[in-house]
């Protein structure tokens, strides 16, 4: 259960376990499953414990096919109760397979695509007694994305895993081996892991790990050592992972910068597998990402275009491949993903590669699918992000994008070395700026308490403040389940201003004073909403007092260059959303309807 708990962030609408009961006269599968969070499953197991066993599988689910209820919870068994299967992903041809099975007389009890696999395996094992081979044969019939883990009462010492598109990692212990969708599942037992490749099947016993392709050919595997320890993946004394992760942001930013430049400010990116010649050819950049990661991309656009003079578009990954985008080998497609497993982003990336673009990913999860399928990668070093709402992942993504922009500027010569060194110098001061915002968190929490009855909250920003406004609104939506919207402040008069009524809280991110013209315009926007009854909460840099007369509340920001302001301005908005959600009694780490890693399209 410990391993499952550490995976609960990936999905938590039901959970289940199955073990091979070898104490029975004939080994059988014993299982338990329950809708809701793992605590519910634990309740069932406390009342009716499963017999001890050294072979078992477990699952925590985020529903795709079938409602989140007890019957649809995994594991799923074949009709004889001999085989137990857990599954992540979607089997796209399951309806055809199910119809075939039903025509042959199989009775399926759930609405899931997973149960089909248990029944297919049942039939296959009658022809092909070896579980590994039977799984390979069944996998060849499946379409879509899947990670499968299977136990068979007739082969009690073996667990078999298979993966296509969805993640699966092997943990190598001493006299014990593990499978998990990520290393958090087994990190308390071993930090030695093996990445499974695309279309591979793994057969583990206590002492052995055998990996093959779906065709049975032996596969080359890449073992690696995991640096995270158990405590890094746990809450460390905070009420919520999110709070811990918000507080880890100075470190996340510092670590992402670490080792990426020489003392004189020359960029060096070890995982940049694209040559300088290839990068010099790039004449267009397209950033693809989802949710918060896409807002990191929007922030990056301002910096990348400014530093490199290369046009940079930002596109939601889910829209990208459906609009016939103009891509060629001179296009650099940048996929941003904390988890490295977001299916929309992965599919957009694959599409870009088919169109012969060069693909670079910015990712926080070593060994995940998106960086593995990219030509180059810049890892963010934020450490594991467990809370569904991304915080440190976001800031680290912005920093990694800046590193990319500066690296391109260095290679293309669009910035002098001393200019790049100066920007790096400013970036290195950012962790202290974030820390200051964290020290100021109690004031923001008090503000959340004052606004706990708000029914709608608006966020305004211009330039890099615009994506910050979008991110502030997204945090509030996903955590506090409140109507919240972010706008470019200049758009206000084109419609959104009609939303302003007495007492509506409006957060405004004011650009640094250095951006005179922009600043004046934002000050006018603040006045416009305030005169219509809004309660204005203004985020403005130290020493800038021009907005004070129009501000009901002021949140001070340290003075930083405009392009870097999102790295400090986002922090109070995260704190605000987290506190408001806590006051409203919501589960901050696992908001309703959401999953940390969205591995379906
Ligand atoms: C952020 O708070 C969200 N939970 C979500 O928007 C997330 O950023 C998005 O799903 C992308 O995830 P990724 O970075 O793992 O690809």
């Amino acid at each position: 259960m410990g391993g499952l708990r550490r995976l609960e962030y990936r999905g938590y609408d039901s959970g289940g376990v199955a073990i091979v009961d070898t104490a029975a006269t004939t080994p059988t599968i014993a299982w338990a499953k329950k809708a809701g969070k793992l605590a519910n499953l634990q309740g069932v197991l406390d009342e009716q414990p499963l017999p001890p066993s050294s072979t078992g599988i477990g699952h925590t689910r985020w529903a795709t096919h079938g409602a989140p209820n007890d019957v649809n919870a995994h594991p799923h068994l074949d009709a004889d109760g001999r085989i137990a299967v857990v599954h992540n992903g979607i089997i796209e041809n399951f309806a055809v397979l199910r119809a075939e099975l039903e025509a042959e007389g199989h009775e399926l009890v759930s609405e899931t695509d997973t149960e089909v696999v248990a029944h297919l395996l049942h039939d296959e094992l009658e022809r092909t007694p070896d579980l590994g081979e039977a799984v390979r044969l069944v996998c060849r019939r499946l379409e879509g994305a899947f990670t499968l883990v299977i136990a068979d009462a007739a082969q009690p010492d073996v667990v078999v895993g298979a993966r296509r598109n969805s993640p699966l990692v092997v943990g190598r212990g001493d006299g014990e081996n593990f499978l998990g969708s990520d290393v958090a599942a087994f990190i308390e037992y071993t930090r030695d892991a093996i990445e499974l490749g695309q279309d591979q099947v793994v057969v583990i016993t206590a002492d052995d790990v055998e990996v093959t392709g779906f065709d049975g050919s032996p596969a080359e595997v890449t073992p690696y050592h995991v640096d995270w320890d158990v405590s890094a993946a746990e809450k460390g004394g905070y009420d919520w992972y999110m709070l811990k992760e918000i507080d880890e942001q100075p470190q996340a930013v510092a670590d992402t910068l670490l080792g990426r430049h020489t003392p004189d400010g020359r960029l060096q990116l070890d995982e940049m597998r694209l040559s300088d010649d290839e990068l010099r050819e790039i004449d267009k950049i397209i950033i693809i990402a989802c949710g918060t990661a896409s807002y990191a991309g929007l922030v990056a656009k301002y910096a990348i275009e400014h530093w490199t003079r290369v046009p940079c578009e930002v596109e939601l990954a889910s829209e990208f491949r459906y609009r016939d985008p103009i891509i060629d080998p001179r296009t650099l497609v940048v996929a941003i993903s904390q988890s490295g497993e977001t299916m929309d982003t992965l599919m957009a990336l694959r599409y870009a590669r088919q169109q012969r673009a060069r693909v670079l990913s910015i990712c926080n999860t070593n060994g995940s699918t998106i960086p593995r399928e990219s030509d180059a990668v810049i890892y963010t070093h934020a450490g594991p992000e467990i809370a569904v709402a991304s915080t440190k992942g976001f800031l680290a993504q912005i920093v990694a994008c800046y590193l990319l922009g500066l690296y391109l500027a260095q290679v293309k010569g669009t910035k002098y070395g001393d200019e790049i060194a100066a920007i790096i110098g400013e970036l290195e001061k950012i962790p202290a700026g974030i820390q200051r915002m964290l020290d100021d968190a109690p004031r923001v929490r008090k503000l959340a308490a004052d606004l706990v009855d708000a029914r709608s909250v608006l966020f305004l920003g211009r330039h890099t403040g615009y994506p910050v406004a979008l991110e502030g609104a997204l945090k509030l939506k996903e955590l506090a389940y409140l109507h919240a919207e972010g706008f470019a402040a200049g758009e206000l008069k084109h419609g959104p201003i009609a939303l302003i009524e007495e007492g509506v809280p409006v957060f405004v991110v004011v650009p640094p004073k250095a951006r005179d013209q922009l600043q004046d315009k934002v000050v006018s926007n603040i006045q416009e909403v305030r005169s219509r009854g809004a309660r204005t909460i203004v985020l403005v840099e130290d020493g800038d007092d021009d907005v004070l007369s129009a501000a009901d509340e002021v949140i001070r920001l340290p003075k930083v260059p405009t392009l870097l302001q999102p790295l400090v301005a986002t922090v109070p908005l995260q704190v605000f959303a987290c506190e408001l959600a806590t006051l409203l009694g919501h589960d901050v780490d696992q908001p309703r309807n959401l999953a940390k890693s969205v591995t379906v399209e």
Side-chain angles (χ1 to χ4, degrees):
M1 283 296 283
L4 273 188
R5 269 187 214 104
R6 271 195 285 281
L7 291 184
E8 202 176 9
Y9 71 92
R10 301 179 74 98
Y12 37 81
D13 60 43
S14 56
V17 285
I19 55 105
V20 181
D21 180 3
T22 41
T25 337
T26 316
T28 52
I29 297 283
W31 57 270
K33 51 187 189 172
K34 193 73 193 156
K37 292 196 175 182
L38 286 177
N40 298 0
L41 174 64
Q42 187 64 61
V44 173
L45 289 169
D46 289 345
E47 269 180 32
Q48 242 181 339
L50 296 180
S53 172
S54 57
T55 305
I57 61 177
H59 190 255
T60 175
R61 177 170 185 248
W62 184 64
T64 56
H65 285 73
N69 56 29
D70 288 356
V71 176
N72 289 332
H74 300 205
H76 289 281
L77 276 70
D78 67 326
D80 297 346
R82 168 189 163 179
I83 300 144
V85 179
V86 297
H87 163 225
N88 288 339
I90 292 177
I91 295 165
E92 285 174 356
N93 58 337
F94 97 100
V96 178
L97 296 170
R98 184 179 177 121
E100 239 175 65
L101 285 164
E102 285 173 339
E104 287 162 10
H106 286 262
E107 279 179 28
L108 284 80
V109 294
S110 78
E111 303 159 280
T112 65
D113 45 351
T114 310
E115 196 185 358
V116 162
V117 178
H119 285 256
L120 288 174
L121 270 171
H122 170 277
D123 287 359
E124 194 55 62
L125 280 162
E126 283 177 358
R127 297 184 287 267
T128 316
D130 176 71
L131 182 61
E133 180 58 8
V135 170
R136 282 188 285 270
L137 290 165
V138 167
C139 283
R140 277 146 61 178
R141 299 188 60 196
L142 306 180
E143 289 167 17
F146 50 87
T147 290
L148 297 164
V149 177
I150 299 131
D152 176 1
Q155 302 179 53
D157 302 328
V158 175
V159 173
V160 176
R163 85 165 279 254
R164 168 177 288 165
N165 291 327
S166 298
L168 183 63
V169 192
V170 184
R172 296 227 54 172
D174 187 9
E176 53 185 0
N177 288 307
F178 307 86
L179 295 175
S181 347
D182 79 38
V183 294
F186 49 71
I187 199 161
E188 64 185 295
Y189 304 105
T190 180
R191 295 204 220 153
D192 291 320
I194 297 173
E195 295 171 9
L196 272 204
Q198 180 72 332
D199 286 6
Q200 289 185 348
V201 166
V202 59
V203 179
I204 63 166
T205 61
D207 300 310
D208 200 27
V209 172
E210 185 199 58
V211 184
T212 54
F214 284 178
D215 59 1
S217 58
E220 294 235 335
V221 295
T222 324
Y224 66 103
H225 189 74
V226 183
D227 297 330
W228 302 351
D229 56 18
V230 181
S231 68
E234 288 181 351
K235 274 190 218 159
Y238 288 85
D239 289 344
W240 304 113
Y241 282 110
M242 185 182 176
L243 282 174
K244 174 173 173 274
E245 289 160 10
I246 288 174
D247 274 6
E248 286 170 348
Q249 294 184 109
Q251 195 63 50
V253 167
D255 286 351
T256 302
L257 288 169
L258 199 71
R260 257 73 192 260
H261 58 88
T262 59
D264 59 348
R266 203 172 159 72
L267 269 298
Q268 48 185 25
L269 298 177
D270 292 345
E271 318 100 305
M272 175 57 73
R273 299 186 289 254
L274 294 170
S275 70
D276 286 2
D277 281 343
E278 285 171 309
L279 290 175
R280 269 189 283 270
E281 277 179 11
I282 299 299
D283 63 5
K284 179 158 89 167
I285 296 169
I286 306 178
I287 297 177
I288 48 170
C290 303
T292 289
S294 75
Y295 301 150
L298 280 178
V299 172
K301 173 185 165 72
Y302 291 88
I304 290 176
E305 288 192 338
H306 183 67
W307 293 333
T308 66
R309 309 313 297 156
V310 177
C312 176
E313 296 167 18
V314 184
E315 176 115 18
L316 292 174
S318 52
E319 289 295 317
F320 178 67
R321 66 192 174 121
Y322 300 105
R323 70 157 176 96
D324 193 17
I326 300 165
I327 308 173
D328 64 31
R330 294 162 75 100
T331 309
L332 179 66
V333 169
V334 179
I336 307 178
S337 174
Q338 188 285 131
S339 60
E341 300 293 351
T342 300
M343 190 56 75
D344 286 319
T345 309
L346 178 61
M347 290 304 167
L349 176 159
R350 287 186 179 158
Y351 177 81
R353 291 199 71 166
Q354 278 162 14
Q355 307 300 308
R356 300 187 304 130
R358 306 203 189 275
V359 176
L360 177 145
S361 59
I362 288 179
C363 184
N364 195 43
T365 312
N366 234 288
S368 57
T369 310
I370 287 174
R372 287 174 48 206
E373 296 201 10
S374 302
D375 299 310
V377 57
I378 302 176
Y379 280 112
T380 51
H381 295 154
E385 192 179 64
I386 308 287
V388 165
S390 184
T391 53
K392 61 178 182 171
F394 177 62
L395 295 200
Q397 283 163 353
I398 295 173
V399 171
C401 287
Y402 289 166
L403 290 172
L404 171 64
L406 292 172
Y407 191 80
L408 284 172
Q410 179 177 288
V411 170
K412 285 174 169 279
T414 49
K415 281 270 167 219
Y416 293 116
D418 56 345
E419 293 173 305
I420 294 174
I423 299 166
I424 297 271
E426 292 295 343
L427 273 169
E428 297 220 291
K429 293 186 216 156
I430 290 292
I434 299 172
Q435 189 54 53
R436 206 197 93 179
M437 301 313 299
L438 295 173
D439 295 342
D440 206 23
R443 279 194 52 235
V444 178
R445 290 202 189 99
K446 173 154 185 326
L447 182 64
D450 290 350
L451 296 176
V452 75
D453 294 325
R455 299 275 45 93
S456 169
V457 182
L458 305 182
F459 294 81
L460 303 180
R462 287 188 89 123
H463 196 263
T464 52
Y466 168 44
V468 174
L470 294 172
E471 172 62 3
L474 179 62
K475 285 281 124 2
L476 210 52
K477 276 181 239 189
E478 65 179 340
L479 297 171
Y481 319 150
L482 265 189
H483 171 246
E485 279 193 69
F487 299 107
E491 274 294 293
L492 203 61
K493 55 190 175 296
H494 299 289
I497 199 162
L499 292 170
I500 305 294
E501 53 188 39
E502 200 57 39
V504 170
V506 180
F507 285 77
V508 189
V509 185
V510 180
K513 192 126 181 72
R515 315 278 312 187
D516 254 351
Q517 276 193 332
L518 255 192
Q519 220 222 15
D520 293 349
K521 293 198 165 80
V522 173
V523 174
S524 309
N525 297 144
I526 301 171
Q527 274 152 353
E528 283 156 19
V529 293
R530 193 158 185 254
S531 64
R532 287 163 174 84
R535 177 166 175 184
T536 54
I537 302 122
V538 174
L539 285 74
V540 63
E541 71 178 6
D542 291 334
D544 181 351
D545 293 341
D546 293 355
V547 292
L548 296 191
S549 60
D552 293 306
E553 308 283 344
V554 177
I555 296 174
R556 286 292 187 181
L557 306 174
K559 266 184 187 294
V560 297
T562 309
L563 288 170
L564 309 193
Q565 199 194 45
L567 294 169
V568 290
T570 307
V571 178
L573 305 185
Q574 299 166 338
V575 172
F576 179 78
C578 184
E579 181 67 9
L580 200 67
T582 306
L583 293 171
L584 292 170
H586 300 323
D587 184 333
V588 167
D589 285 337
Q590 296 179 345
R592 69 183 182 199
N593 304 337
L594 296 177
K596 179 66 180 163
S597 164
V598 184
T599 50
V600 291
E601 270 189 283

